[in-house]
Amino acid sequence: MKPREIGITELVLRDAHQSLMATRMAMEDMVDACADIDAAGYWSVECWGGATYDACIRFLNEDPWERLRTFRELMPNSRLQMLLRGQNLLGYRHYEDGVVEKFVEKSAENGMDVFRVFDALNDPRNLAHAMQSVKKVGKHAQGTICYTVSPVHGTEDYVALAGRLLDMGADSIALKDMAALLKPQPAYDIVRAIKETYGEDVQINVHCHATTGVTQVSLMKAIEAGADVVDTAISSMSLGPGHNPTESVIEMLDGTPYTTTVDRTKLKPIRDHFAAVAPKYKKFMSAVTGVKTDIFQSQIPGGMLSNMESQLKAQGAGDRMDEVLLEVPNVRRDAGYPPLVTPSSQIVGTQAVFNVLMGKYKVMTGEFADLMLGYYGECPGDRDPEVVEMAKAQTKKEPITERPADLLAPEWDGLVEQTSALEGADTSEEDVLTMAMFPQVAPKFFKERHEGPRNVGMTEEQVEEERRKAAGLDKALH
Amino acid sequence: MKPREIGITELVLRDAHQSLMATRMAMEDMVDACADIDAAGYWSVECWGGATYDACIRFLNEDPWERLRTFRELMPNSRLQMLLRGQNLLGYRHYEDGVVEKFVEKSAENGMDVFRVFDALNDPRNLAHAMQSVKKVGKHAQGTICYTVSPVHGTEDYVALAGRLLDMGADSIALKDMAALLKPQPAYDIVRAIKETYGEDVQINVHCHATTGVTQVSLMKAIEAGADVVDTAISSMSLGPGHNPTESVIEMLDGTPYTTTVDRTKLKPIRDHFAAVAPKYKKFMSAVTGVKTDIFQSQIPGGMLSNMESQLKAQGAGDRMDEVLLEVPNVRRDAGYPPLVTPSSQIVGTQAVFNVLMGKYKVMTGEFADLMLGYYGECPGDRDPEVVEMAKAQTKKEPITERPADLLAPEWDGLVEQTSALEGADTSEEDVLTMAMFPQVAPKFFKERHEGPRNVGMTEEQVEEERRKAAGLDKALH
Ligand SMILES: [Co+2]
Ligand SMILES: [Co+2]
């Protein structure tokens, strides 16, 4: 029997350097790999998203739209893929539908093919308009399920969510496991159940991080269950808090009833390219290497943990971490079990710290109150009605049940006006979108844009020098 | 249905530090973890073998027998496990049967429970006497299959070998994948075929390295096929050229029809202990981290590659590596496809270098000639008769077909005599065995033994100092 062909999404141009080196990789360190990536036969090439857009204008003085156009030009044969936070676009608040539509339109126009649309709370209403906008411009709308573990997240809940996404016209479903919590058996069960419920021809893409060391097995089980595409990163930019290595995932399928569309002989130059440039970004690299399995017990992602630690220390209460760790699950339960992912992880974590330091919900953060009152959308489970009352009392705001974006008035014209007043902004809609999503950073970026891209990595000479010194240091010490 | 219980062999005390830090870990950095290891519920604890024995007397000035007795005392509830090179014991030549028997006897007496017996060529005759000796002292005799990939290594060949090992009375079969070549499907097929041929109650242990990034999936598939025990290393001493992380392998089974005998709450102190001591051995650590998948194409293990490179450079022929890489498969084929593992990898690699530099088999190394003439045992496939003739002509030696050890006369009394003449040697049989296996190193060790163990790692102050300097260096550079 002919093996079933599994597609591969290569993450090196977006999530891999976001996870491993704080999204700092400059375009000049990616361009030389693009021809090889384009020729390798990936199902898609993920190359754009909120953090890369942010890093472009905040640190790299690169126009993110220019980056997108360059990718388009250098990879004419590839599906370019982006990660889109539903109604939040690439920013940190809800946008009015007109802005969402405009963003999708311009992204498509500049070369985007596949839009992976997600919402941190898995509230389908926060995805709906973005999905619809993608359909309208004739691009691939991928509806996303954020995977988490809680009493209200059973296989049947994910299947129901997949159904909502398919009802929106999703061209495919992504199962997104940002915390590396997805174990092999649930990976199998969820993929199988979606296929059995909605048909074997529903395309399922699986995105896992490697942090806990179990998810390559999960990819295998997902494939056995029928998954169509899996996400990987070229080996020299893989593992740790990043992703499973492209080469290993391809090799693992040998002899099975599955194969991939990727030509493995094409991967070596891609690997070698990133192995060579990665050391330039050493100072941005996560200290976390190897695997971390604590999250299976604590349910608390690493970033959230260090956040809470520094908050406690700032209050001179560094010794109360144990209490906070016990409080986190309570706060999460009271909030209706949101997945712990940006921004919900910070919101829940900070409130747990507040509860320990000042008494249970004595003081709520504005964000936590908003979460309890529905301003981020529906939470997966029921929110605790007493805590909702306290949020009302403290904020004098009313809880809402409608889609948060329904409260917003059209804002495009105002954004155009704001942007056109800024030094260095041109009159393009792309600039208006930059201003809309990053109002704090955009003005400075527009002003300095003409200076051209900055590479914040080390030069090759500095890398060499560091190698030399480290070798000398080594000798001196031993 | 009650999940099937999978046993775990913890490798941290032997193979993990052998693979990650050149076997240099001193006993004093292991003792504090032993109580936790003993309580965790492992199927066995691997803690002894050729390289650890060698490192003890060569670098650490530790008596390896004393190390074994200490492990025995500190882990009274655990099966202690060792790796034994069949008729080679822990040394580099064939020993006469009396010495083999004596070694097994003394090892058992000093506390060893499980003997994993292997031969680099998979010649069962090289395992037979060691296996028999283990049975005689009533310990667990584990017969080993070295996994490799070649035209003469199909599933049926491994099944046949397993049969030979079971005929010898093997209490279990180990499938040993030292080069991380074992992909998921062959792992499944081999385990399943052995079980189907010889019965579901044949115990199968699977040992994989992590180097290529596919073998955790292989462990999963082996378990699905019926494997009873898998080998892992605690996460802080895992991955790279080492092994899959214990915690991840345990977590990966959640929700499957399998569970483990290990209490996962007991693993944290073990992990934290080794995370704390590992930095002391930084200078011995392999520069290889992450995954390396080249071996799937080249069939050449990393160590063999660097060996051949330095041989070429020494001859001023560093530019001829490509020719050597093309010659390696030819030499391996001519020699009957030995697994490429110590010592066969060095023998084949060096001959490939000689062939390129001096013409095909114009000059044979003594070791390669011995391999061709049967002095290491039977090779898996047929050896090239023309090359055998050339080996005869060059060495004036006759090819043999009998078991190499059959050529040896009793040697114990001579070894006793040799040893008793050495300064610092006591009259114990353990010392005679040390002398037998490491005649070059033993005399110096006996002389210096009274000075007591040396820890060749950095002190904690040096580790701290290196951290401080590296941080300063970092600052200075950025
Ligand atoms: Co991700
Ligand atoms: Co090993």
Side-chain angles (χ1 to χ4, degrees):
Chain A
M1 213 179 81
K2 206 168 152 277
R4 182 162 70 85
E5 281 200 340
I6 308 299
I8 302 280
T9 292
E10 174 59 58
L11 301 170
V12 68
L13 301 179
R14 202 280 298 177
D15 204 358
H17 72 100
Q18 177 172 336
S19 301
L20 297 177
M21 43 185 70
T23 335
R24 290 307 202 287
M25 194 174 280
M27 191 61 183
E28 65 165 295
D29 288 324
M30 299 190 251
V31 287
D32 288 343
C34 286
D36 290 315
I37 293 174
D38 196 42
Y42 292 112
W43 185 82
S44 69
V45 179
E46 198 201 39
C47 61
W48 224 50
T52 52
Y53 199 111
D54 188 338
C56 272
I57 62 171
R58 193 185 299 266
F59 304 113
L60 305 174
N61 210 41
E62 266 186 52
D63 194 312
W65 296 94
E66 183 59 33
R67 179 182 281 204
L68 173 55
R69 287 188 292 268
T70 307
F71 280 141
R72 179 70 290 162
E73 199 185 310
L74 295 177
M75 297 183 282
N77 305 300
S78 299
R79 286 188 193 92
L80 302 185
Q81 179 172 321
M82 75 170 296
L83 186 63
L84 183 61
R85 298 185 194 129
Q87 205 73 24
N88 294 350
L89 298 177
L90 307 182
Y92 300 99
R93 65 170 176 91
H94 287 259
Y95 292 90
E96 175 266 330
D97 290 342
V99 182
V100 171
E101 198 162 331
K102 191 66 88 176
F103 176 83
V104 169
E105 212 178 282
K106 299 310 290 183
S107 301
E109 203 179 298
N110 281 277
M112 193 51 63
D113 297 303
V114 179
F115 294 74
R116 175 174 288 173
V117 187
F118 81 101
D119 175 63
L121 297 183
N122 278 336
D123 182 345
R125 302 170 310 163
N126 289 338
L127 277 70
H129 197 74
M131 295 287 284
Q132 195 185 312
S133 304
V134 176
K135 301 295 288 180
K136 200 169 160 191
V137 294
K139 297 299 181 182
H140 186 112
Q142 185 169 87
T144 303
I145 298 168
C146 291
Y147 181 75
T148 188
V149 176
S150 90
V152 300
H153 287 91
T155 300
E156 64 285 3
D157 301 299
Y158 293 118
V159 171
L161 180 54
R164 298 283 300 270
L165 300 171
L166 291 169
D167 289 345
M168 289 174 194
D171 296 299
S172 59
I173 301 291
L175 180 57
K176 176 180 158 74
D177 171 33
M178 50 282 166
L181 284 170
L182 182 62
K183 293 181 180 178
Q185 192 64 45
Y188 184 93
D189 294 342
I190 293 169
V191 171
R192 196 83 288 280
I194 292 173
K195 292 264 179 177
E196 274 170 15
T197 309
Y198 305 111
E200 297 294 330
D201 57 343
V202 170
Q203 178 180 327
I204 302 181
N205 292 42
V206 183
H207 176 85
C208 287
H209 284 246
T211 331
T212 56
V214 311
T215 61
Q216 188 161 335
V217 188
S218 310
L219 294 185
M220 184 73 203
K221 299 309 286 185
I223 289 169
E224 290 179 2
D228 302 276
V229 180
V230 296
D231 290 12
T232 64
I234 197 80
S235 62
S236 49
M237 291 279 288
S238 73
L239 296 175
H243 311 84
N244 294 293
T246 306
E247 298 95 316
S248 303
V249 168
I250 291 171
E251 296 285 350
M252 104 184 159
L253 297 179
D254 276 353
T256 68
Y258 319 102
T259 186
T260 73
T261 54
V262 173
D263 175 355
R264 69 186 85 183
T265 64
K266 297 276 164 61
L267 299 179
K268 194 172 176 297
I270 305 172
R271 179 198 67 184
D272 291 345
H273 171 83
F274 288 103
V277 301
K280 296 172 67 171
Y281 298 94
K282 199 179 147 212
K283 65 175 163 175
F284 301 110
M285 281 186 201
S286 160
V288 178
T289 55
V291 308
K292 302 282 151 196
T293 54
D294 281 348
I295 190 174
F296 288 128
Q297 273 72 52
S298 71
Q299 296 287 328
I300 297 170
M304 181 174 166
L305 201 67
S306 49
N307 232 25
M308 296 189 299
E309 264 168 4
S310 48
Q311 287 170 340
L312 277 178
K313 270 188 201 142
Q315 300 301 317
D319 57 331
R320 302 187 68 181
M321 193 62 190
D322 285 350
E323 292 166 76
V324 171
L325 291 180
L326 289 172
E327 181 62 5
V328 167
N330 299 332
V331 175
R332 189 176 178 223
R333 182 198 58 222
D334 296 343
Y337 295 109
L340 293 181
V341 55
T342 307
S344 53
S345 53
Q346 288 86 334
I347 296 174
V348 168
T350 305
Q351 191 59 47
V353 170
F354 275 41
N355 283 5
V356 165
L357 294 181
M358 289 174 278
K360 199 136 183 140
Y361 301 119
K362 280 274 173 349
V363 180
M364 279 186 203
T365 67
E367 288 80 10
F368 185 75
D370 277 354
L371 181 67
M372 292 305 293
L373 296 171
Y375 289 92
Y376 286 91
E378 258 327 307
C379 283
D382 293 332
R383 282 162 279 166
D384 186 292
E386 278 183 45
V387 184
V388 171
E389 283 307 312
M390 293 167 86
K392 273 173 69 177
Q394 287 187 31
T395 59
K396 321 283 179 227
K397 280 161 91 169
E398 282 304 307
I400 62 165
T401 54
E402 60 267 59
R403 186 182 72 124
D406 284 340
L407 303 176
L408 301 172
E411 51 179 333
W412 181 254
D413 293 345
L415 289 165
V416 171
E417 203 172 319
Q418 269 183 287
T419 309
S420 60
L422 293 174
E423 184 187 335
D426 59 39
T427 53
S428 72
E429 295 182 321
E430 284 84 350
D431 270 10
V432 178
L433 289 162
T434 298
M435 178 61 187
M437 298 188 293
F438 298 94
Q440 260 87 53
V441 189
K444 182 163 179 287
F445 167 67
F446 292 143
K447 209 179 293 175
E448 298 178 0
R449 175 164 46 185
H450 67 94
E451 295 169 13
R454 295 180 198 120
N455 190 324
V456 297
M458 293 188 279
T459 62
E460 272 170 51
E461 290 70 35
Q462 284 171 322
V463 171
E464 212 27 72
E465 171 76 0
E466 179 160 275
R467 279 206 196 100
R468 205 187 53 72
K469 283 202 190 170
L473 178 66
D474 236 43
K475 247 175 248 147
L477 273 166
H478 306 305
Chain B
M1 213 179 81
K2 205 166 155 276
R4 182 162 72 83
E5 281 201 339
I6 308 299
I8 303 280
T9 292
E10 174 59 58
L11 301 170
V12 68
L13 302 179
R14 202 281 299 177
D15 203 359
H17 73 100
Q18 177 172 335
S19 303
L20 297 177
M21 44 185 69
T23 336
R24 292 305 203 287
M25 194 174 280
M27 190 62 183
E28 66 164 294
D29 287 323
M30 298 191 252
V31 288
D32 289 342
C34 286
D36 289 316
I37 293 173
D38 196 42
Y42 292 113
W43 185 81
S44 70
V45 178
E46 199 202 39
C47 62
W48 224 50
T52 53
Y53 199 111
D54 187 339
C56 273
I57 61 172
R58 193 184 298 266
F59 304 114
L60 305 174
N61 210 39
E62 267 186 51
D63 194 313
W65 296 94
E66 182 59 34
R67 180 183 280 202
L68 173 55
R69 287 187 291 270
T70 307
F71 280 142
R72 179 71 289 160
E73 198 185 311
L74 295 176
M75 296 183 283
N77 304 301
S78 299
R79 285 188 195 91
L80 302 186
Q81 180 172 321
M82 76 169 296
L83 186 63
L84 184 60
R85 297 184 195 131
Q87 204 74 23
N88 293 351
L89 298 177
L90 308 181
Y92 301 99
R93 65 168 177 92
H94 287 259
Y95 292 90
E96 174 267 330
D97 289 343
V99 182
V100 171
E101 197 163 332
K102 190 66 86 176
F103 175 83
V104 169
E105 211 180 281
K106 300 309 292 183
S107 301
E109 202 180 297
N110 281 276
M112 193 51 62
D113 297 303
V114 179
F115 294 74
R116 174 174 290 173
V117 187
F118 81 102
D119 174 63
L121 297 184
N122 278 335
D123 182 345
R125 301 170 309 163
N126 289 337
L127 278 69
H129 197 75
M131 294 287 285
Q132 195 185 312
S133 304
V134 177
K135 302 293 290 179
K136 200 171 161 189
V137 293
K139 298 297 182 181
H140 186 112
Q142 185 168 89
T144 303
I145 297 168
C146 291
Y147 180 76
T148 190
V149 176
S150 92
V152 300
H153 287 92
T155 301
E156 63 285 4
D157 301 299
Y158 293 118
V159 170
L161 180 55
R164 297 283 299 271
L165 300 171
L166 291 169
D167 289 344
M168 290 175 196
D171 297 299
S172 58
I173 301 292
L175 180 57
K176 175 177 159 74
D177 171 33
M178 51 283 166
L181 284 170
L182 182 63
K183 292 181 181 178
Q185 192 65 46
Y188 184 93
D189 294 342
I190 294 169
V191 171
R192 195 83 290 277
I194 293 173
K195 292 264 178 177
E196 274 170 14
T197 309
Y198 305 111
E200 298 293 331
D201 57 343
V202 172
Q203 178 179 326
I204 302 181
N205 293 41
V206 183
H207 176 86
C208 287
H209 284 247
T211 331
T212 56
V214 310
T215 60
Q216 188 162 336
V217 187
S218 309
L219 293 184
M220 184 74 203
K221 298 309 286 185
I223 288 170
E224 290 179 1
D228 301 278
V229 180
V230 296
D231 289 13
T232 65
I234 198 78
S235 62
S236 49
M237 290 279 289
S238 72
L239 296 175
H243 311 84
N244 295 292
T246 305
E247 298 95 315
S248 302
V249 168
I250 291 171
E251 296 284 351
M252 104 184 160
L253 297 178
D254 277 352
T256 69
Y258 319 102
T259 185
T260 73
T261 53
V262 173
D263 175 357
R264 69 187 85 185
T265 65
K266 297 274 163 62
L267 299 179
K268 194 174 176 298
I270 304 171
R271 178 197 69 184
D272 291 345
H273 170 83
F274 288 103
V277 301
K280 296 172 67 173
Y281 298 94
K282 198 178 148 212
K283 66 174 161 175
F284 301 109
M285 282 187 201
S286 160
V288 177
T289 55
V291 308
K292 301 282 153 197
T293 55
D294 281 348
I295 190 174
F296 287 128
Q297 273 72 53
S298 71
Q299 296 288 327
I300 297 171
M304 181 174 165
L305 202 65
S306 50
N307 233 24
M308 296 188 299
E309 265 168 4
S310 49
Q311 286 170 340
L312 278 178
K313 271 188 200 141
Q315 299 302 316
D319 56 333
R320 303 186 68 181
M321 193 63 191
D322 286 350
E323 292 166 76
V324 171
L325 292 180
L326 289 172
E327 180 63 5
V328 167
N330 299 332
V331 175
R332 190 177 177 221
R333 182 200 56 222
D334 295 344
Y337 295 110
L340 292 182
V341 55
T342 306
S344 53
S345 53
Q346 287 87 334
I347 297 173
V348 168
T350 305
Q351 191 58 48
V353 169
F354 275 40
N355 284 6
V356 165
L357 293 181
M358 289 174 278
K360 200 134 182 146
Y361 302 120
K362 281 275 176 342
V363 181
M364 280 188 202
T365 67
E367 290 79 9
F368 185 75
D370 278 353
L371 181 67
M372 292 305 292
L373 295 172
Y375 289 92
Y376 287 91
E378 258 327 306
C379 284
D382 293 332
R383 283 163 279 168
D384 186 292
E386 280 184 45
V387 184
V388 171
E389 283 308 311
M390 293 167 85
K392 272 173 68 176
Q394 287 187 30
T395 59
K396 322 281 179 227
K397 282 163 88 170
E398 283 303 307
I400 62 166
T401 53
E402 59 266 59
R403 187 182 71 125
D406 284 340
L407 303 177
L408 301 172
E411 52 179 334
W412 182 254
D413 292 345
L415 290 165
V416 170
E417 202 172 317
Q418 270 184 286
T419 309
S420 60
L422 294 172
E423 182 188 337
D426 59 38
T427 54
S428 72
E429 297 182 320
E430 285 84 351
D431 269 9
V432 178
L433 289 162
T434 297
M435 179 60 187
M437 297 187 293
F438 298 93
Q440 260 87 53
V441 190
K444 183 164 180 284
F445 167 67
F446 293 143
K447 207 179 295 177
E448 298 178 359
R449 175 165 48 187
H450 67 94
E451 296 168 14
R454 296 181 197 119
N455 189 324
V456 298
M458 293 189 278
T459 63
E460 273 171 50
E461 290 69 34
Q462 284 170 320
V463 172
E464 211 29 72
E465 172 75 0
E466 179 159 274
R467 278 207 197 100
R468 205 188 53 71
K469 282 200 188 169
L473 178 65
D474 235 45
K475 245 177 246 145
L477 273 167
H478 307 303

